[in-house]
Amino acid sequence: MPKISPPPGTSDILPEEISAWHRLEDTARKIFQLYGYGEIRTPVFEYTEVFKRGIGNETEIVQKEMYTFKDKGGRSLTLRPEGTAGIMRSLMATDVMNGNEHRVYSLGPMFRGEKPAAGRRRQFHQIGVENVGRIAPELDAECIAMLMHYLEELDIVGNRLLINTRGTLEDRKPAEKVLRANFIKHISAMCEDCKNRLKRNVWRILDCKQPECQKVIKNSPPVVSCFGEKSRSFFNKVCETLSKLGISYEIEPKLVRGLDYYVHTVFEVVHPALGAQDALAGGGRYEIFLPGNKNPIIGVGFATGLERLLMTQECLKVIPSPPITPCVFLAGLGIEAINANMTLAMSLRRKGISTVAEVEEKSIKAQMRTANRLGVKLTIIRGETELKNRIATCKNMKTGEQKEIPSDKLDDSLRELLSPDLF
Ligand code: HAM
């Protein structure tokens, strides 16, 4: 059969891989609930304006990477490239604008039209967290601490937490002046994108990964020196609180992050296992302006990429979660046994025992092959004789041991045979 691959930069997640994904998702739910967060789900597409205004028109994401299309009514829609803008659109309708705190997390696919590479997908999955409505440096530190707690719980060791400040909006102008004055001197040696960035959004230069630009960026003056007292004391308090909470961090003065909504704290967790795309997670404090709103919605949050978490766990040889397989296979010889097995399967499932029953007439050899392929722990075999004698042959698939069990004792015997795996 010719194989039809999914589009570049996307992939299928198959049943044998899913338990590793469940671990990431279940752990997120467990940890984030400990900090008082509840799950929110927003649409995978939004009006394009939500992202243009929310993330910033001059960002790489909005300029180059969005999947945008018109609906039948001619409205422009975009598949979400990130989760924060849509969540803010949703929370805007709550009392969050009155300074009331909302703690939410979300899980789901994101879409960015990037050049696919290891760890860089066009459809990828994020777990994101947002603490919305209040401003306090302690909240930034707690949010980072929760991310580190989550990574620890996933056995992801050897990562580095990088943090920086982007200052307040008022601090931007003087800092931009200093940056522009520096980069203008070297601009002829920099890439075409940076030449544009110099005119349109000088901060984006600090994000450029081109080697010729990196040389100039490395020697650029630290922008924090142009920031006022408010920005500096906020950042100092975030660092102080992180230290108090026992979280190690490195201040990275060139870290600005690729989204324009950040103010004050920005952070990224990087891991050497990821190679060139080394960001495992990223976030910061934000002020997000949405279409039709004069006032921004404020908060702090982060997102982590599930594919990158899995890649890191694989490199670290974190013990993989066992695949999810059914426990019991019911093999039936003859139509009566098959029918009886289908009824038995329903009753076992109601008792919490995952069961698959053969529904067609097949040789016992073929049915045992199916049982092996499914990876079940027990196979129950019934034919005409077993039905007549009200018994079932029960085979332990690991040891090969077989015993006959009276049909009315099947429930108790299964409990015993499947213990401690199940009960
Ligand atoms: P981001 O840095 O764009 O931030 O993405 C967060 C994480 O998503 C990255 O660190 C990476 O693990 C993963 N990621 C991003 N792009 C890709 C890709 N093309 N392929 C695979 N994984 C990827 C945000 O999205 C912000 N909304 C985070 C945030 C929440 N800030 C405040 N609140």
Side-chain angles (χ1 to χ4, degrees):
M1 277 277 203
K3 188 173 171 253
I4 305 175
S5 303
T10 71
S11 41
D12 304 312
I13 304 163
L14 301 172
E16 53 269 30
E17 299 161 341
I18 207 71
S19 45
W21 288 76
H22 286 172
R23 180 177 174 202
L24 302 183
E25 293 162 2
D26 296 346
T27 308
R29 292 194 163 95
K30 185 181 94 184
I31 299 299
F32 302 161
Q33 269 166 30
L34 293 176
Y35 291 76
Y37 286 74
E39 186 174 347
I40 185 168
R41 299 185 189 192
T42 59
V44 293
F45 57 85
E46 297 274 352
Y47 290 123
T48 304
E49 275 309 303
V50 170
F51 299 119
K52 277 195 174 168
R53 185 92 176 93
I55 302 172
N57 231 343
E58 300 302 329
T59 57
E60 212 82 341
I61 295 180
V62 170
Q63 290 270 314
K64 298 187 185 165
E65 296 170 0
M66 297 211 299
Y67 285 101
T68 297
F69 56 98
K70 289 239 161 89
D71 71 3
K72 283 188 182 146
R75 283 164 301 197
S76 182
L77 300 171
T78 294
L79 294 183
R80 63 182 182 198
E82 61 96 60
T84 313
I87 292 174
M88 295 311 119
R89 195 257 321 125
S90 167
L91 292 183
M92 206 87 189
T94 68
D95 59 357
V96 76
M97 298 303 277
N98 304 332
N100 288 318
E101 187 182 339
H102 285 245
R103 296 184 170 215
V104 295
Y105 68 88
S106 67
L107 297 93
M110 305 292 155
F111 308 87
R112 294 185 193 173
E114 298 194 78
K115 195 161 171 235
R120 194 166 60 203
R121 327 269 319 148
R122 289 185 174 162
Q123 176 178 318
F124 58 99
H125 298 78
Q126 278 188 348
I127 292 181
V129 163
E130 315 294 348
N131 181 311
V132 196
R134 280 175 65 196
I135 173 159
E138 291 81 0
L139 291 176
D140 300 28
E142 192 192 64
C143 189
I144 295 172
M146 183 168 79
L147 167 61
M148 302 318 278
H149 186 172
Y150 175 57
L151 296 176
E152 195 184 300
E153 205 58 23
L154 295 176
D155 299 319
I156 294 181
V157 291
N159 47 51
R160 289 163 61 213
L161 166 65
L162 313 176
I163 75 166
N164 192 24
T165 175
R166 291 210 53 186
T168 60
L169 288 180
E170 304 85 73
D171 280 338
R172 294 282 165 84
K173 285 273 166 309
E176 273 170 31
K177 247 189 187 165
V178 173
L179 283 176
R180 202 168 278 115
N182 172 66
F183 290 132
I184 212 158
K185 289 187 265 172
H186 309 279
I187 199 66
S188 55
M190 298 175 86
C191 76
E192 283 311 305
D193 278 343
C194 280
K195 285 181 182 134
N196 276 326
R197 288 171 185 141
L198 185 69
K199 286 178 232 141
R200 298 168 71 124
N201 189 342
V202 70
W203 295 95
R204 296 272 66 83
I205 294 183
L206 293 173
D207 233 11
C208 185
K209 299 285 177 285
Q210 297 298 331
E212 67 270 29
C213 303
Q214 270 298 317
K215 273 189 222 155
V216 181
I217 295 164
K218 242 190 215 151
N219 298 318
S220 64
V223 281
V224 69
S225 57
C226 339
F227 288 170
E229 175 52 25
K230 194 171 154 198
S231 296
R232 279 196 264 176
S233 67
F234 191 97
F235 188 55
N236 288 340
K237 189 75 191 168
V238 174
C239 295
E240 211 180 290
T241 314
L242 282 174
S243 301
K244 273 191 203 147
L245 296 176
I247 309 286
S248 315
Y249 59 86
E250 296 167 39
I251 296 176
E252 173 49 71
K254 302 289 180 313
L255 181 71
V256 286
R257 309 244 322 118
L259 304 111
D260 271 352
Y261 49 54
Y262 292 116
V263 291
H264 288 300
T265 323
V266 281
F267 57 92
E268 232 161 54
V269 176
V270 294
H271 200 289
L274 289 171
Q277 310 298 323
D278 67 351
L280 202 49
R285 175 159 286 283
Y286 46 78
E287 288 185 4
I288 297 186
F289 289 87
L290 289 170
N293 284 283
K294 272 203 269 45
N295 295 321
I297 182 163
I298 61 166
V300 60
F302 65 81
T304 175
L306 271 65
E307 286 81 357
R308 293 193 192 175
L309 290 175
L310 290 173
M311 278 170 75
T312 313
Q313 282 187 324
E314 217 167 279
C315 275
L316 292 173
K317 307 227 170 340
V318 171
I319 297 166
S321 317
I324 301 161
T325 53
C327 278
V328 174
F329 181 71
L330 303 183
L333 293 165
I335 200 69
E336 268 180 58
I338 288 174
N339 287 339
N341 279 352
M342 284 191 74
T343 315
L344 175 62
M346 290 303 286
S347 109
L348 293 179
R349 290 166 189 147
R350 289 208 167 89
K351 291 185 176 96
I353 301 171
S354 60
T355 307
V356 172
E358 179 50 66
V359 295
E360 284 183 301
E361 289 200 66
K362 286 192 176 161
S363 70
I364 187 67
K365 218 169 149 192
Q367 295 193 61
M368 291 316 285
R369 265 203 306 272
T370 308
N372 277 319
R373 188 177 53 76
L374 290 172
V376 293
K377 295 183 178 70
L378 289 177
T379 298
I380 295 171
I381 308 157
R382 299 202 292 184
E384 228 173 87
T385 325
E386 280 86 356
L387 286 187
K388 203 165 81 200
N389 298 334
R390 296 177 176 278
I391 53 160
T393 303
C394 196
K395 180 171 180 176
N396 181 324
M397 300 300 284
K398 202 163 163 196
T399 60
E401 197 190 328
Q402 236 169 259
K403 35 174 156 169
E404 282 183 353
I405 298 171
S407 293
D408 57 351
K409 299 265 164 41
L410 210 50
D411 268 15
D412 290 342
S413 302
L414 281 184
R415 272 174 190 275
E416 205 176 295
L417 289 167
L418 290 170
S419 157
D421 294 326
L422 252 187
F423 300 104

